[in-house]
């Protein structure tokens, strides 16, 4: 089991060396930007109809998704920095 974990870690490190973090950060940034735009559209709609239940539910959904994406982005950036340190030590 330990050997399997080492192999998985090595595979992830190899993927990282091929641009894994850059791609993940770019993807999550695009998704977050889309969510942010939708949140703003919903907020504008709610200014006109503040009690629109569907809009309120959508706002909650997209706000939650946006926060998850930002958390992921932060994790990817931190992992990228750690990986860079590991590579520099080799």
């Amino acid at each position: 089991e330990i050997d399997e974990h080492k192999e998985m870690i090595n595979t992830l490190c190899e993927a990282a060396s091929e641009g894994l973090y850059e791609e993940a950060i770019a993807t999550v940034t695009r998704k977050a930007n889309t969510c942010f735009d939708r949140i703003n559209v919903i907020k504008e709609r709610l200014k006109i109809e503040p009690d629109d239940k569907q809009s309120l539910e959508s706002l909650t959904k997209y706000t939650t998704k946006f926060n998850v994406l930002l958390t992921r982005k932060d994790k990817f950036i931190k992992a990228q920095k750690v990986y860079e340190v590991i590579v520099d030590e080799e």
Side-chain angles (χ1 to χ4, degrees):
E1 188 173 311
I2 292 174
D3 288 337
E4 286 179 34
H5 287 125
K6 283 184 179 180
E7 183 62 30
M8 287 172 52
I9 291 169
N10 286 335
T11 300
L12 287 172
C13 288
E14 290 169 356
S17 72
E18 298 298 329
L20 174 100
Y21 292 121
E22 291 83 358
E23 288 296 321
I25 292 166
T27 299
V28 81
T29 298
R30 280 192 303 274
K31 289 180 178 182
N33 288 342
T34 299
C35 278
F36 185 75
D37 291 343
R38 289 185 180 179
I39 288 168
N40 286 329
V41 168
I42 294 166
K43 284 181 177 180
E44 289 300 315
R45 192 177 317 139
L46 285 169
K47 285 180 183 177
I48 298 167
E49 289 187 57
D51 296 328
D52 180 17
K53 289 181 182 179
Q54 184 177 1
S55 293
L56 290 168
E57 288 173 7
S58 291
L59 181 62
T60 299
K61 172 186 163 188
Y62 283 108
T63 301
T64 300
K65 186 174 181 179
F66 181 73
N67 290 328
V68 167
L69 291 168
L70 291 183
T71 299
R72 285 183 184 171
K73 182 177 177 180
D74 287 343
K75 287 180 181 181
F76 297 159
I77 291 169
K78 286 177 187 174
Q80 182 182 38
K81 288 179 183 175
V82 169
Y83 176 72
E84 288 171 357
V85 169
I86 292 169
V87 169
D88 288 343
E89 289 178 355
E90 290 178 350

